[in-house]
Amino acid sequence: MNSELKLSDKSREFLDHLRVYLFSSGKHSDEIEEIVEELEVHLFEAEKNGKPIEKIIGKSPKEYMEMVSNEMATDYRSWIKTISLIVFGSFSFTIFSDLMKGNLSYSVLEIVGHLVIGAVFIAAIATGFKYISATNLSIKKQGLLVTAIMILPIALFVGLIYANRAIDTPVIHFGTTASMIIGGITALFIIGASFWAKTWILLIVVALLTLPDFLLGLTPLTHEAQLMISPWITFGGIGLYLWLSLSWSRKNGK
Amino acid sequence: MLVIVTLVMQGIGEVKENLSTTQMLKGILDGCLLAIIKDKEVYGYELAEKLESYGFHSFSEGTIYPLLMRMQKEELVTTTLKKSTAGPRRKYYSLTPKGEAELEMFIERWNYLQTNVNRVLRHESDSEHLKGDETDE
């Protein structure tokens, strides 16, 4: 990539928005970088010659983004990758923390609800980010929208918990062997997905969420002390991982 | 006006449900881009400047990129990245044999169109149908 060219804020903002728009439209990331870089060079030279950005992208940035997007192939492979990571990732959190407590049992509503929430969340992210990048919203409104999108799955999960108490659907009980098999499959899935996506975040977060409770339970510490220590390990561990991976990726020149 | 638009669209072989002037212009722009690229290997900004120097002032310069992307996908053009003295890396476009053939076809279509449109405008009759059949010529 170019070292940052000197561009007006308006052009820089447009390029950022274009990148997000194309990304949330599911385009190949190297193709996105290619067109963004090409437009960056164009805007740079145009600005040097005193042309306004409207002369390049027309009056409607949204229309222009759509035009570019239409010419690019959708990267279904990474889409499926991301979607299955989110859906099965959220499953694996539940499965592992439940496994630590004993055998698994889920109602039909829980299973279906999980899948639906995963789908809703993904749809909300994709449309939300596309909307934000194509329209001129104030930072405040953008923040509000992103927060709303992030809260949405949490609200839906809370709703699901209550709905699950109120509505009786058949419950599927898994015996010890079945629970162990499911646990094994999930573990294999997480490890496989991590290799595939080339990131350890899922594995590490699942481990940090489930293992501290389990391991602390083996220590002679009081229940209260365990409850206090466990979140520290979880969040401290996640923070440490993010920090390490950030400094690692910086060192690698990106 | 409608007659001309229809003729142009048929000639270019890009009849879509919504005939708009921008779409009409697109097909023609494609041909112009190919012609400019054939002359000399060019990068995007240069290409836009050239188009303007030929009199296309009203279009947004960025429109060429989606067109170039499609032309690259259709293997009409190839690209190479080159460093410029000014700093940024530029993407240069050149014509493939397939692109040259497409340009030839465009020139043919354009000449055919131009003749017919001019006839319409001058109210000359060809004694045959002006419905855009290739066999008319």
Side-chain angles (χ1 to χ4, degrees):
Chain A
M1 250 202 94
N2 283 320
S3 48
E4 294 258 292
L5 295 173
K6 240 187 135 28
L7 276 182
S8 67
D9 290 345
K10 216 172 158 192
S11 297
R12 182 66 57 206
E13 194 185 7
F14 168 75
L15 290 174
D16 288 341
H17 282 171
L18 178 68
R19 196 179 272 125
V20 176
Y21 185 91
L22 295 175
F23 183 75
S24 25
S25 307
K27 307 299 179 188
H28 290 270
S29 51
D30 29 333
E31 270 181 49
I32 296 175
E33 284 315 313
E34 216 177 303
I35 181 66
V36 169
E37 186 180 343
E38 204 174 13
L39 277 169
E40 188 182 16
V41 173
H42 194 118
L43 286 166
F44 172 72
E45 298 208 28
E47 280 182 2
K48 241 179 18 192
N49 292 309
K51 289 179 191 164
I53 186 169
E54 288 78 15
K55 177 72 188 134
I56 319 301
I57 58 164
K59 285 194 190 75
S60 158
K62 184 170 186 280
E63 249 170 56
Y64 186 68
M65 288 182 196
E66 261 168 30
M67 231 164 87
V68 172
S69 174
N70 283 340
E71 293 305 331
M72 293 169 81
T74 308
D75 185 4
Y76 290 106
R77 218 180 137 233
S78 350
W79 254 121
I80 293 168
K81 211 155 126 177
T82 319
I83 288 171
S84 46
L85 266 182
I86 293 175
V87 171
F88 288 102
S90 76
F91 262 121
S92 55
F93 291 136
T94 331
I95 289 173
F96 272 111
S97 50
D98 290 348
L99 259 184
M100 297 297 163
K101 290 173 205 141
N103 286 346
L104 300 173
S105 68
Y106 296 112
S107 73
V108 171
L109 184 69
E110 266 179 308
I111 296 173
V112 174
H114 235 97
L115 286 172
V116 170
I117 292 172
V120 168
F121 182 50
I122 290 159
I125 287 184
T127 44
F129 279 79
K130 246 168 110 169
Y131 177 73
I132 288 175
S133 51
T135 41
N136 254 329
L137 293 176
S138 64
I139 297 286
K140 228 181 186 175
K141 276 187 188 154
Q142 285 183 21
L144 225 64
L145 199 65
V146 172
T147 317
I149 292 172
M150 294 305 161
I151 290 176
L152 182 72
I154 302 174
L156 286 173
F157 271 120
V158 172
L160 182 64
I161 292 170
Y162 278 101
N164 198 39
R165 278 184 202 158
I167 307 163
D168 262 336
T169 52
V171 178
I172 305 166
H173 290 283
F174 297 95
T176 316
T177 341
S179 297
M180 282 305 159
I181 290 171
I182 292 174
I185 291 172
T186 318
L188 277 180
F189 171 80
I190 293 175
I191 294 168
S194 301
F195 266 114
W196 192 30
K198 297 196 187 71
T199 168
W200 296 106
I201 181 109
L202 196 57
L203 193 66
I204 286 168
V205 172
V206 171
L208 283 169
L209 276 176
T210 51
L211 284 182
D213 282 340
F214 179 70
L215 292 177
L216 286 170
L218 302 176
T219 61
L221 288 169
T222 62
H223 188 62
E224 283 76 20
Q226 286 182 20
L227 278 182
M228 274 171 67
I229 295 170
S230 159
W232 282 103
I233 299 178
T234 304
F235 291 110
I238 293 173
L240 189 72
Y241 171 76
L242 290 178
W243 182 73
L244 280 176
S245 60
L246 189 73
S247 55
W248 184 78
S249 65
R250 271 210 194 122
K251 216 180 273 169
N252 279 275
K254 247 267 157 156
Chain B
M1 187 59 199
L2 195 73
V3 181
I4 300 169
V5 173
T6 320
L7 271 173
V8 168
M9 293 310 299
Q10 280 180 344
I12 289 175
E14 250 205 350
V15 186
K16 292 188 178 156
E17 287 102 285
N18 298 313
L19 299 183
S20 69
T21 39
T22 42
Q23 262 174 359
M24 176 182 96
L25 193 64
K26 252 193 218 166
I28 297 170
L29 266 183
D30 276 342
C32 294
L33 293 180
L34 287 173
I36 294 173
I37 298 171
K38 186 192 161 73
D39 272 352
K40 181 179 152 269
E41 209 186 18
V42 282
Y43 69 99
Y45 188 75
E46 212 179 349
L47 202 49
E49 293 262 276
K50 281 230 168 114
L51 269 178
E52 270 167 84
S53 75
Y54 286 116
F56 286 102
H57 296 294
S58 59
F59 81 106
S60 319
E61 290 175 8
T63 8
I64 62 171
Y65 291 107
L67 299 179
L68 287 169
M69 283 164 103
R70 189 182 338 132
M71 281 164 28
Q72 196 180 350
K73 228 176 350 190
E74 289 170 358
E75 293 171 349
L76 303 178
V77 295
T78 50
T79 61
T80 33
L81 281 171
K82 286 185 192 169
K83 273 222 149 122
S84 70
T85 41
R89 268 197 315 179
R90 289 167 178 166
K91 199 183 192 183
Y92 280 84
Y93 292 87
S94 47
L95 234 51
T96 63
K98 203 175 162 197
E100 282 181 37
E102 178 63 34
L103 176 62
E104 290 302 314
M105 263 145 66
F106 170 76
I107 294 171
E108 224 169 88
R109 282 196 304 260
W110 176 252
N111 286 335
Y112 166 72
L113 260 174
Q114 205 190 15
T115 325
N116 288 354
V117 173
N118 283 339
R119 274 204 205 111
V120 173
L121 295 178
R122 292 195 206 108
H123 306 293
E124 282 172 27
S125 171
D126 194 34
S127 80
E128 300 212 29
H129 290 295
L130 277 174
K131 266 278 176 173
D133 269 335
E134 300 288 338
T135 49
D136 269 10
E137 278 270 56

